Amino acid sequence: MSGPRIPVMIPRLGEEEAQAAAEAVRSGWVAQGPRVARFEREFAARVGAGHGVAVSSCTTALHLALVLLEIGPGDEVIVPSFSFIATANAVRYVGAEPVFADVDLATGNLTVATVDAVRTPRTRAVIAVHQGGVPFDVAALREAAAGWALPLVEDAACAAGATAYGRPVGAGATVAAWSFHPRKLLTTGEGGMLTVDDPEWAARLRRLREHGMNVSAADRHASAQPVLEAYLETAFNYRMTDIQAAIGLVQLGRLTELVAQRRALAARYHDLLAGIEGLVPVRDPAHGETNYQSFWVLVDPAYGVGRDEVLAELATAGVSARRGIMAAHLEPAYADVTPAPLPVTERLTRDSLILPLHHALTEADQDHVVGVLRKLAR
């Protein structure tokens, strides 16, 4: 077969999104405006938060969260290495030092024990990731962070539609950051969101994303009289456009359906993989339900074939799989960092892979994917 015929991911975009974007263009309001405000309200309500602040990406959301918390040079922020590199990079954006903690083998998430193992007197915050849409134990980590007097930033980039303790991921978070990249269930092309419960924090985040202005561009344009804005602090241009928000509103309406479909497909993967020794698929933790933004499989030594060989064989068979989630501390950008031992992180990033999972995946596709894996097993 000349090339992959089963993609690892396809965003769910259709005519409704196209029409919504076109209507935004026809309205003449294409920058941050009324659609962004509506998307913020509806997304915050969906995840159980008081306020949403739309931004240009989850990376900029994480940056603003740390600016809000006044993290800076000389401070340490505990993060997982087992995450997309943006999680650690955001710490460096504010001049602080990322300190890598290990993760749980089953969930790929930080735990109270792994955070506590690297905590020092210089620790000023923790960024915990709901990795691949698998919720971390929010009750345990939030309680521990409060006891340590450390703010807990929740990197929920992948987690829209996941739940923890029966509530949406994001509900009750001090501050959560979200991604709407095309790899996510809910996409605006690029884009992100911060959710908080504190109205004063929300107001400051809105200033920080828009050059520090004390009145938004939308409010200035809506006023019948001239508005002389002031710039209260050095800030950023991290705004979302109304075109993106128009797409996001349609996507938000699909979220429940998309999560249900992915969970059904994941359940079928679990059934198909059950008889293959040495392949350990990601599952729901005891405290919540994943949205299966990614369906990763740990390739255990009992399988008899290494992860990279599995990826090569899948590609030959027309299946576009991916290596597991990266480990930031192994990248050249962090060659100057000597972390504490991270054995679970290194095992997961070395021995896991991500299988295709998306709305267009058929049962025949799944049968083909698992058929290749079954044939490879030794």
Side-chain angles (χ1 to χ4, degrees), residues 87-244:
T87 306
N89 285 351
V91 179
R92 284 186 162 176
Y93 293 168
V94 295
E97 180 182 340
V99 174
F100 294 119
D102 213 354
V103 294
D104 174 68
L105 182 65
T107 66
N109 288 328
L110 295 182
T111 68
V112 173
T114 63
V115 171
D116 199 27
V118 296
R119 191 167 55 91
T120 77
R122 290 175 56 204
T123 304
R124 286 286 314 282
V126 179
I127 302 178
V129 180
H130 298 283
Q131 191 52 259
V134 180
F136 65 75
D137 190 335
V138 296
L141 262 178
R142 288 174 184 173
E143 181 181 12
W148 299 325
L150 293 175
L152 178 65
V153 177
E154 301 193 15
D155 182 339
C158 301
T163 64
Y165 292 98
R167 302 175 71 198
V169 163
T174 298
V175 55
W178 307 82
S179 173
F180 305 131
H181 183 272
R183 283 288 304 274
K184 309 305 187 284
L185 272 74
L186 192 168
T187 184
T188 58
E190 288 284 1
M193 186 83 73
L194 287 142
T195 54
V196 295
D197 286 338
D198 187 321
E200 292 185 6
W201 278 17
R204 183 163 183 233
L205 287 167
R206 291 194 175 100
R207 291 196 301 270
L208 285 169
R209 72 170 173 196
E210 195 169 6
H211 305 287
M213 283 196 294
N214 64 340
V215 58
S216 72
D219 288 342
R220 282 191 293 121
H221 286 296
S223 174
Q225 295 296 320
V227 175
L228 302 179
E229 76 279 5
Y231 297 83
L232 305 184
E233 58 185 312
T234 302
F236 311 92
N237 180 7
Y238 285 170
R239 291 172 291 188
M240 176 181 281
T241 70
D242 255 29
I243 299 171
Q244 291 170 293

Side-chain angles (χ1 to χ4, degrees), residues 16-61:
E16 285 183 72
E17 286 86 353
Q19 289 187 9
E23 287 169 8
V25 172
R26 284 193 291 267
S27 76
W29 199 299
V30 293
Q32 179 182 286
R35 289 170 180 81
V36 168
R38 180 183 162 202
F39 185 39
E40 291 173 332
R41 291 192 301 270
E42 294 190 12
F43 184 84
R46 177 64 173 77
V47 302
H51 305 274
V53 180
V55 290
S56 54
S57 70
C58 186
T59 306
T60 57

